[in-house]
Amino acid sequence: MKDWLIKYDFEEKIDPKEIISKLNYGTHIVQIKNFPKKDLAYENFITKLGNPIIERRNNQGRSVFDVKISLQNNLFKSLANSNLRFPLHTDCSDFEKIPNCIGMLCIKPASKEQGVNSFAFLDNILDKLSDRDRLYLINKKWLFRNQNRSILNKDKHHYRICYDRVMIESFSKTDHQELEKLDQLDRIFESCKFNLKMKEGDLIIFRNDIILHGREGFDKNSDRLIKRIRFNVLK
Ligand SMILES: [Fe+2]
């Protein structure tokens, strides 16, 4: 039994308040089996938990985004529309306000052990960071496109994380020493990483600011389809 996973079944009664409370604690990933595959049902369910982020590139410009291979002029439309591996990261690191939760609904998994989702909890990461490292990560600012922010944040007692190496390296000027720091951090993230293979009809919901997520690569002809909703959970 995975103690970081709380399992529900859509065919049994689910109390949204219970899920909201789990997400506010942020100590677990919520998994709901047998979830309906229609965008509207998905959006309605997430709306009971919080406020979905509306983006123009989403389906009908609403809250659901199809994470699947999609090409334009022979190029992947975006990293999310590729078959490539994603190292552990935070979504929307360049947004002014970063949504604190993500839902991922598996419509079609990749074949075999491909496209596995991976996660790392901030608590486990913090355990491996010295006080000096923590201070460095709280004080050092990086450019995430137009947002100048630190990788770690602390308010009173709680830490929050914002990390996307591709974004940092695309927009921040980094010297050799800083790159080594990021390499060291990536190694720590990797050492805290665990995998979850989603099955058809699985919905997983997790904190974007307390848990890093990533995925393994998969076959470029795969019809893997994950429906993503980003949202801010109700308090
Ligand atoms: Fe992501």
Side-chain angles (χ1 to χ4, degrees), residues 39-214:
D39 282 12
L40 194 60
Y42 183 23
E43 190 175 76
N44 285 342
F45 182 80
I46 294 292
T47 304
K48 289 181 196 159
L49 308 179
N51 301 309
I53 306 296
I54 306 297
E55 287 180 81
R56 217 172 35 187
R57 66 177 187 150
N58 293 348
N59 300 346
Q60 288 87 46
R62 294 175 65 89
S63 62
V64 180
F65 179 78
D66 285 349
V67 181
K68 63 177 181 189
I69 293 179
S70 181
L71 295 160
Q72 200 168 40
N73 305 325
N74 254 341
L75 296 169
F76 294 123
K77 271 191 189 165
S78 69
L79 210 53
N81 292 123
S82 75
N83 63 323
L84 304 173
R85 172 180 181 267
F86 272 17
L88 291 163
H89 66 279
T90 307
D91 267 14
C92 312
S93 63
D94 58 335
F95 283 27
E96 193 183 335
K97 189 173 177 341
I98 301 171
N100 64 13
C101 285
I102 302 176
M104 285 188 193
L105 171 60
C106 180
I107 304 296
K108 179 99 174 113
S111 59
K112 298 178 202 130
E113 287 310 300
Q114 296 187 351
V116 171
N117 289 87
S118 50
F119 301 92
F121 279 92
L122 180 52
D123 270 355
N124 298 338
I125 294 165
L126 289 169
D127 283 348
K128 297 193 175 187
L129 292 172
S130 65
D131 289 345
R132 209 167 143 230
D133 287 338
R134 291 183 188 195
L135 261 185
Y136 173 80
L137 293 172
I138 287 173
N139 292 321
K140 164 82 183 147
K141 302 269 197 262
W142 310 83
L143 257 185
F144 297 79
R145 204 181 304 273
N146 298 318
Q147 303 296 331
N148 197 29
R149 49 172 53 124
S150 56
I151 292 172
L152 267 191
N153 263 297
K154 195 182 179 193
D155 65 2
K156 277 191 190 157
H157 310 292
H158 301 291
Y159 282 96
R160 298 286 180 260
I161 191 164
C162 172
Y163 187 73
D164 184 333
R165 175 101 188 225
V166 176
M167 192 70 84
I168 290 174
E169 285 203 56
S170 306
F171 297 98
S172 293
K173 279 202 187 92
T174 43
D175 62 27
H176 181 70
Q177 219 178 355
E178 287 166 349
L179 285 178
E180 271 189 358
K181 273 274 178 204
L182 294 178
D183 286 345
Q184 182 204 353
L185 206 51
D186 282 334
R187 282 193 294 274
I188 291 176
F189 294 162
E190 282 296 309
S191 72
C192 297
K193 187 172 96 170
F194 54 87
N195 292 333
L196 178 67
K197 174 76 181 165
M198 289 175 79
K199 295 201 175 83
E200 196 179 320
D202 284 359
L203 168 63
I204 52 167
I205 312 171
F206 56 92
R207 284 290 291 257
N208 186 36
D209 55 350
I210 305 181
I211 303 170
L212 295 176
H213 67 281

Side-chain angles (χ1 to χ4, degrees), residues 209-227:
D209 55 350
I210 305 181
I211 303 170
L212 295 176
H213 67 281
R215 72 163 193 223
E216 293 308 318
F218 50 92
D219 202 277
K220 67 177 191 307
N221 300 315
S222 168
D223 50 2
R224 179 186 191 266
L225 173 57
I226 305 288
K227 287 184 174 284

Side-chain angles (χ1 to χ4, degrees), residues 8-49:
Y8 294 89
D9 192 319
F10 194 80
E11 285 160 10
E12 290 159 19
K13 196 170 158 30
I14 297 173
D15 180 1
K17 280 201 199 99
E18 202 179 304
I19 296 180
I20 290 169
S21 140
K22 306 280 184 226
L23 290 171
N24 274 300
Y25 279 118
T27 48
H28 291 81
I29 292 172
V30 172
Q31 182 185 50
I32 303 174
K33 295 260 171 214
N34 300 309
F35 200 88
K37 292 178 184 166
K38 292 268 185 283
D39 282 12
L40 194 60
Y42 183 23
E43 190 175 76
N44 285 342
F45 182 80
I46 294 292
T47 304
K48 289 181 196 159
L49 308 179

